[in-house]
Amino acid sequence: MSTETIVAVKDNTANPAPLGLLGFGMTTVLLNIHNAGFFELNSMIIGMGMFMGGFAQIVAGIQEWKKNNTFGATAFTSYGVFWLTLVTLWLIPNTSFGAAYKSSATGVGYYLLMWGLFTLFMFIGTLRLSRALQVVFATLTVLFFLLAISDFTGNTAMRTFAGYEGIFCGLSAFYTGVAQVLNEVYGRTVLPLG
C-alpha cells in the first residue's frame, strides 16, 4: 500500500512588477525629455537604458516567470530587451566595425512600428488588469506609433510631441510601480490603481 504526501509550496517571493515598472518608467521619462528637445542623447540615457530599462526589466521578467505570470514575464523581458537593442542601435555605428551598419531613419521607423504592434496586443491583455496598466500600455502604444511616424516622415515636430506623450507614459509607469510598493508596504490603498 502506497501513501502519497501532498506538499503545498507557498510563494514567499516579492512582487517583481514595481522593479520592472520603475525601470521602464524612469528610463522612458528621461529618453522622452530628450525627444521633447530639452537635451541631447547622452551617456545618462544610455546608462539608464542599459541597466534600469534593460537589465532591471529582464530580472523582473524572469521573476514574473517564476511566479507563473505570463503577461508580466513577456512584458518585462521584452521591454528589457527593447532597451538593450535600442542602446545597441545607438552604439554600434560608433564602433570601429559598426559605421557601415548604421540604421536608416526608415529602418528605425519599422523597428518602432513593430514594437508598437507588439505593445498594442499587450494593451489588449491589460483590459483584464488594472486601469493604471491600461494607461501605461495605451500611452506606450501611441508613443511607438508617433515615433515611427516621425522616423518615416522626418517630422521633428512629431518627435517633439511624441516626447511629451512619452514623458506622460513614463510617469504613468512610475506611478504604477510606486503605487504597488506603497500599497503593499502600508497594507492598504495609498495610491489607487483602478
Side-chain angles (χ1 to χ4, degrees), residues 20 22 59 67 104 109 119 129:
L22 291 167
V59 168
K67 289 183 160 297
S104 67
T119 305
L129 303 172

Side-chain angles (χ1 to χ4, degrees), residues 33-102:
I33 292 172
H34 155 71
N35 284 338
F38 289 96
F39 51 75
E40 294 300 315
L41 183 66
N42 58 44
S43 61
M44 174 271 298
I45 297 170
I46 292 170
M48 284 291 287
M50 289 172 55
F51 294 98
M52 278 303 283
F55 296 131
Q57 282 196 90
I58 290 170
V59 168
I62 292 167
Q63 291 174 327
E64 290 283 15
W65 170 75
K66 290 181 73 175
K67 289 183 160 297
N68 199 29
N69 180 352
T70 302
F71 182 89
T74 303
F76 290 132
T77 305
S78 296
Y79 294 116
V81 171
F82 162 79
W83 279 105
L84 294 178
T85 61
L86 184 62
V87 168
T88 302
L89 289 174
W90 293 332
L91 293 181
I92 282 180
N94 296 316
T95 64
S96 60
F97 66 88
Y101 299 104
K102 181 176 172 128

Side-chain angles (χ1 to χ4, degrees), residues 84-133:
L84 294 178
T85 61
L86 184 62
V87 168
T88 302
L89 289 174
W90 293 332
L91 293 181
I92 282 180
N94 296 316
T95 64
S96 60
F97 66 88
Y101 299 104
K102 181 176 172 128
S103 298
S104 67
T106 301
V108 175
Y110 280 110
Y111 167 83
L112 294 167
L113 178 65
M114 289 308 302
W115 280 105
L117 291 172
F118 169 74
T119 305
L120 175 62
F121 287 106
M122 295 300 284
F123 165 72
I124 293 168
T126 67
L127 297 177
R128 304 242 355 200
L129 303 172
S130 72
R131 293 284 181 255
L133 284 175

Side-chain angles (χ1 to χ4, degrees), residues 21 24 28 71 75 79 112 115-147 161-162 164-173 176:
L21 287 162
F24 171 80
T28 299
F71 182 89
Y79 294 116
L112 294 167
W115 280 105
L117 291 172
F118 169 74
T119 305
L120 175 62
F121 287 106
M122 295 300 284
F123 165 72
I124 293 168
T126 67
L127 297 177
R128 304 242 355 200
L129 303 172
S130 72
R131 293 284 181 255
L133 284 175
Q134 291 170 21
V135 170
V136 171
F137 279 84
T139 57
L140 182 57
T141 301
V142 170
L143 175 60
F144 277 128
F145 289 142
L146 289 173
L147 290 171
F161 177 73
Y164 286 102
E165 195 275 349
I167 292 167
F168 179 80
C169 173
L171 289 174
S172 70
T176 305

